[in-house]
Amino acid sequence: MRLLILGGTGGLGRELARRGGPHVMAAGSRDADLRDPVQVRSLVRRVRPDVIVNAAYRQDDWAVTADGAAHVALAAVSSGARLVHVSSDAVFSGASGRYDESCPPVPATMYGAAKAAAETAVRAVDPGAVIARTSLIVGGPQTVIVARVHAGGVFFTDDVRCPVHVSDLAAALLELAVSGRAGVHHVAGADAVSRYELARLIAGRDGLDVSTVTAGTRAGAGLTGAADVRLDSTATQAVLNVVLRGARSFLSPASGRG
């Protein structure tokens, strides 16, 4: 399988490249600017992938996150490549707490709106694509939440997600890529935990002083946006071989480095 990974320089992209076999290209912004459909088409024609995994995004750039997803979907269809588009729990507002694959996007932030727009574009252009919504990605120091724990800061007790280990997520995405399945799939961890609990679990795993992890609240910080977003991955887990472990499992002392 010839695999093209967009967003290939990030933590997830590197894990996908590690697992993807001998015919992998992990592409970053230097290889193609997703805002430019010509560059995207040129890259896809040059690589001639069987599968494209689009894990690229920028939280502050609508053109990369939303328009870029449309450009990738168009290039995938024109080349006959299978597309797995990585989306986010940011498409939900948190008002309902738990969300399964049947729940329509109701974003509360501009980033969430961009990810929701990307989903709409991908579904319209390429109905056979997989849209894989995920949550906080946990791995080594290169993953965002782990880097934040090591740098220190305040972690909210009233901000709940379903973190997923980067290796579980990458394995699930590759499994979905060859499954022939289409549409929305939730690929998140089994445990719903607050960012504060998650930070303590990461600190414990990495040998940091857990007592230095500082608790706070979104409400106390005056922040708006989604607070409690729990992706229900039950339906997707039922069709996967890989087990989407919960954070309390993959960050436990018995799991080593996860």
Side-chain angles (χ1 to χ4, degrees):
M1 178 177 70
R2 191 180 296 274
L3 176 64
L4 172 61
I5 304 163
L6 302 173
T9 58
L12 174 58
R14 287 195 288 268
E15 182 65 16
L16 284 163
R18 187 181 73 82
R19 290 173 168 270
H23 304 295
V24 177
M25 178 177 180
S29 58
R30 292 184 179 180
D31 299 292
D33 184 343
L34 298 193
R35 297 170 296 186
D36 184 341
V38 175
Q39 289 191 36
V40 175
R41 287 198 304 270
S42 177
L43 175 65
V44 171
R45 287 171 181 165
R46 185 168 71 253
V47 177
R48 294 180 292 113
D50 301 302
V51 174
I52 301 171
V53 178
N54 182 18
Y57 72 95
R58 288 183 185 164
Q59 288 202 0
D60 59 349
D61 195 326
W62 181 284
V64 169
T65 303
D67 298 347
H71 299 156
V72 172
L74 287 165
V77 169
S78 66
S79 68
R82 169 101 161 127
L83 175 59
V84 177
H85 173 78
V86 181
S87 191
S88 167
D89 58 10
V91 301
F92 297 119
S93 68
S96 298
R98 185 169 293 277
Y99 298 87
D100 64 20
E101 287 89 343
S102 68
C103 296
V106 185
T109 63
M110 283 301 296
Y111 173 61
K115 294 298 281 187
E119 288 189 9
T120 298
V122 169
R123 294 179 76 172
V125 172
D126 187 357
V130 169
I131 296 171
R133 293 179 184 143
T134 193
S135 189
L136 294 176
I137 301 172
V138 181
Q142 76 278 9
T143 49
V144 174
I145 186 64
V146 176
R148 281 203 60 219
V149 173
H150 281 249
V154 176
F155 297 89
F156 299 138
T157 59
D158 57 350
D159 193 319
V160 178
R161 297 294 188 273
C162 293
V164 65
H165 195 278
V166 65
S167 65
D168 296 347
L169 176 58
L173 294 175
L174 293 173
E175 192 175 331
L176 287 169
V178 299
S179 70
R181 301 186 67 84
V184 175
H185 292 72
H186 285 184
V187 190
D191 296 335
V193 299
S194 70
R195 288 183 188 260
Y196 175 67
E197 181 182 354
L198 179 62
R200 287 176 60 86
L201 288 167
I202 291 169
R205 180 198 67 175
D206 293 353
L208 305 177
D209 185 351
V210 174
S211 68
T212 64
V213 177
T214 303
T217 64
R218 292 179 64 89
L223 296 179
T224 58
D228 187 345
V229 181
R230 310 179 189 212
L231 288 189
D232 183 344
S233 302
T234 305
T236 298
Q237 179 65 89
V239 302
L240 291 175
N241 292 314
V242 63
V243 175
L244 299 169
R245 296 169 293 166
R248 298 186 187 98
S249 171
F250 64 72
L251 292 172
S252 71
S255 70
R257 296 288 296 178

